[in-house]
Amino acid sequence: MENVNIKIDGIEISVPKNYTVLQAARMANIHIPTLCYLEGINEIGACRICVVEIKGARSLQAACVYPVNEGMEVYTNSPAVRKARKANLELILSNHDRKCLTCVRNRNCELQKLAEEFGIKEIRYDGSSDPVFALDQSSPSLVRDNNKCVLCRRCVAACANQAVSVIGLKNRGFVTEVGCAFDAPIFETSCIYCGQCIVSCPVGALYEKDDIPKVQKAIDNTEKHVVVQTAPAVRAALGEEFGLPMGTPVTGKMVAALRRLGFDKVFDTDTSADLTIMEEGTEFIERFTKGENLPLITSCSPGWVKFCEHNYPEFINNLSSAKSPMEMFGAVIKSYYAEKQNIAKENIYSVAIMPCTSKKFEAQRPEHSSSGAQDIDASLTTRELARMIKEAGIQFNELPDEEFDSPFGEATGAGVIFGATGGVMEAAIRTVYELLEGKPLENLEIAPIRGMDGVKEAELTIAGKKVKVAVCHGTKNAKALLERVKAGEKYDFIEVMACPGGCVNGGGQPIVSSEDRVGKDIRVERAKALYAEDRSAALRKSHENPVIQTLYDTYFEKPCSHKAHELLHTTYTKRNKF
Amino acid sequence: MAEKKVPAFQGTKEQEAQLKEVIAKHKDSKGALIPVLHEAQEIYGYLPVEVQTMIAEGLGLSLADVYGVVTFYAQFSLYPKGQYRIAVCLGTACYVKGSGDILDKFKERLGIDVGECTEDGKFSLDATRCIGACGLAPVLTVNDDVYGRLTVDDVDGILEKYGF
């Protein structure tokens, strides 16, 4: 890339020709505040917080969209710039429901931070207190409070980036708001509850449905046996809520915290991820041998499943009927575990800690009650767990590392990598290969399906046959891949995760501000924690997990047995697109 | 807006065919949405969810995008217009001469809000910006008929004339 020479606040710097003023300023270590800007997702120059003075230009320009050119002179801290930024911020604040103390984003809010940085002491404009927007609490996963909304459109862009696009801006003037067409509540739309809107929101206009009270109530009820499971991606990100660097694995501390919160048993969802691999792998072998309903498409990601049901019902038969690890665990806890421990399943309260908001929806799907009760009683996000830990006064960083409880504490590295894009496929291949070949797989790490390319492919030879697999993450990439399949491209096995990067970047994960995302890829950093745990695991293949072997020997008999089908498999429903 | 009454959609096969033609005509050009919305409103008289859904599908857009544009421009209507379209001017001159009260009286008599249509499809009510007849303030139009220098008491007479 060709470079151009520009001058920012008197500093001469050479930057790539395709840079914006904002990128150039960052290169020169000059801070330009932003609000609506979210790198790679929303770059529209709408909020005017990043305005700068450019010599020769008629008016102030938005740095986030203004391209650099040779000889340009930029001033980021002139009186005109400071005055305009402050006025713009005051105007945004004038319409904002400024109840910071009771806001879910208190101390993690980009608007609050700007107000502090700009030294806002008063807001000179009255704004409009009318209308007061009603909260949209229609879904089991998300809540929208437009009284907090700053109309930055980051959520709208994130939704479009997922090829879901159920939200948009509507009306104009003071009544402008973000919402669904025809003012439909989000529950009535094809929203997949991935929560990418939440993690994109700079303020408290979007958050998960708060399920802490019902979990707390169950813990406080001494008659309830409260069991908790934690998904792999949670351990890779929970530490961020307590100031630890991104990508710090906190498995042991997390287990200790859960125990201190009063959960009776702390289990690892990785164990049931191993179970999912056994079921799904067996299902693949069956389908592959018969050549039926190929490609087999993974179904662990509830956002992806709902996306498929709404937009690609013709692929429902391709979805693996194996439940997600969370739901398999739910069914096993209220059947096998309840019987073994001699606890009535009515007295078990089953909680899942997930990096995901869509899991809240999955948990209440009527199909997921194969134990005779709702298999999962509550699904909390990583953020909700962090809030519980803070509220309980637990000093997270000082906790000792503790181990998961038996009998479901043992998991393999294959289960751990479920949390990153490509992980399910890699885990499945490790098992499918050995089941079909009858000999150990030499290289366990399958590089072509790791990493952050939108669609990744690999061709393997297993038992003398070619197996073509594809991995994609982000439903936009899933859409692109499925269109290729519709056009005739042949695959045998496809992994889809709804969120970009997979569960590590799920909608229930700690929120990273636009500024903190600069220069690093959250998805890569968090995934590193999982791959490190896999590498150091004693067992790295699902079928070698002794817990799983015992489960089959004493309960399910074999993968995809009649009993396994009853408890560990599910069905899907065609849903409308609009 | 959701609480407003929308009569059942009564689009015909002919209208649908016309709309499909319009969509096909504009589909590949940039910025197709607004011309398509204009022509769709000419065909149907308004842009209900059924029509917007056909447009969204036809142009490969999301319904939220289409709805966003429809609700941004005052030109587009989500509600059908009546056989008699009553438009009360709320421009400055008319407003200070009491057109707000006249508008309220129509709302009360017809039982509808601004932008809505009576259930029998006969009357619709709109509030307009200045229509340039300030000398006649307060002024209103019913289709192409203009009524000026009105008081609240004239409302019943006007409605009677159109068979209310």
Side-chain angles (χ1 to χ4, degrees), chain A residues 229 326-327 329-330 334 350-352 363 368 374-379:
Chain A
Q229 55 165 310
M326 174 182 94
E327 288 299 340
F329 220 150
K334 289 197 182 178
S350 189
V351 180
H368 292 154
Q374 201 64 27
D375 296 334
I376 295 293
D377 294 292
S379 172

Side-chain angles (χ1 to χ4, degrees), chain A residues 165 169-172 182-183 578, chain B residues 49 52 62 67-68 71-72:
Chain A
S165 279
L169 252 74
K170 52 192 192 187
N171 304 319
R172 65 194 295 174
F182 291 89
D183 301 328
F578 289 107
Chain B
V49 61
Q52 288 189 39
S62 77
Y67 183 78
T71 55
F72 185 83

Side-chain angles (χ1 to χ4, degrees), chain A residues 321-556:
Chain A
S321 68
K323 285 181 182 173
S324 69
M326 174 182 94
E327 288 299 340
M328 282 202 183
F329 220 150
V332 167
I333 284 166
K334 289 197 182 178
S335 58
Y336 170 82
Y337 175 77
E339 287 165 34
K340 210 169 162 242
Q341 302 290 315
N342 205 12
I343 305 171
K345 59 175 176 265
E346 296 72 32
N347 285 335
I348 296 180
Y349 194 87
S350 189
V351 180
I353 313 290
M354 294 284 140
C356 183
T357 40
S358 203
K359 287 280 172 194
K360 289 175 185 282
F361 169 77
E362 187 186 55
Q364 52 90 67
R365 284 175 76 122
E367 303 90 302
H368 292 154
S369 52
S370 37
S371 65
Q374 201 64 27
D375 296 334
I376 295 293
D377 294 292
S379 172
L380 300 181
T381 61
T382 310
R383 296 188 295 270
E384 283 173 293
L385 172 60
R387 289 208 287 278
M388 282 183 83
I389 294 171
K390 288 174 189 168
E391 204 184 319
I394 295 167
Q395 298 300 301
F396 187 80
N397 296 344
E398 311 307 323
L399 289 171
D401 287 340
E402 293 183 9
E403 300 282 330
F404 285 107
D405 284 310
S406 64
F408 303 121
E410 202 140 4
T412 68
V416 177
I417 57 173
F418 254 62
T421 170
V424 175
M425 182 62 76
E426 190 169 327
I429 291 171
R430 290 180 191 177
T431 287
V432 166
Y433 181 90
E434 297 201 1
L435 291 184
L436 286 178
E437 290 267 357
K439 62 173 186 200
L441 179 63
E442 269 172 36
N443 185 9
L444 291 185
E445 298 181 9
I446 302 160
I449 55 173
R450 291 189 177 189
M452 292 305 149
D453 288 341
V455 179
K456 296 164 281 184
E457 296 183 24
E459 206 171 88
L460 310 144
T461 309
I462 303 179
K465 279 187 179 167
K466 288 242 179 292
V467 179
K468 199 172 165 201
V469 304
V471 170
C472 62
H473 53 115
T475 37
K476 191 184 198 172
N477 291 320
K479 186 180 171 176
L481 182 59
L482 288 189
E483 289 299 333
R484 273 160 50 189
V485 173
K486 274 170 88 168
E489 203 154 336
K490 293 266 179 279
Y491 294 97
D492 299 304
F493 200 173
I494 293 177
E495 175 206 290
V496 183
M497 294 191 189
C499 289
C503 313
V504 285
N505 188 35
Q509 292 283 59
I511 294 169
V512 183
S513 72
S514 171
E515 226 159 77
D516 289 342
R517 294 184 190 212
V518 177
K520 59 177 163 256
D521 189 333
I522 326 174
R523 305 169 301 176
V524 174
E525 296 303 319
R526 290 176 180 161
K528 276 185 201 159
L530 298 183
Y531 286 121
E533 197 161 314
D534 168 43
R535 214 165 298 130
S536 63
L539 299 172
R540 297 180 70 186
K541 300 166 205 159
S542 298
H543 56 280
E544 290 177 350
N545 185 339
V547 179
I548 300 302
Q549 289 167 349
T550 311
L551 258 180
Y552 283 115
D553 288 347
T554 64
Y555 201 68
F556 288 115

Side-chain angles (χ1 to χ4, degrees), chain A residues 297-308:
Chain A
I297 311 179
T298 59
S299 62
C300 309
S301 165
W304 149 244
V305 167
K306 196 163 183 277
F307 184 86
C308 182

Side-chain angles (χ1 to χ4, degrees), chain A residues 18 43 48 60 63 126 196 203 227 287 368 374 391 438 455 504 541:
Chain A
N18 63 347
E43 302 175 353
R48 318 307 288 181
L60 299 179
D126 282 340
Q196 287 301 312
V203 295
V227 171
R287 289 198 199 184
H368 292 154
Q374 201 64 27
E391 204 184 319
V455 179
V504 285
K541 300 166 205 159

Side-chain angles (χ1 to χ4, degrees), chain A residues 148-163:
Chain A
K148 297 262 171 76
C149 176
V150 293
L151 300 174
C152 69
R153 307 177 190 219
R154 277 159 55 163
C155 59
V156 176
C159 194
N161 199 38
Q162 287 284 68

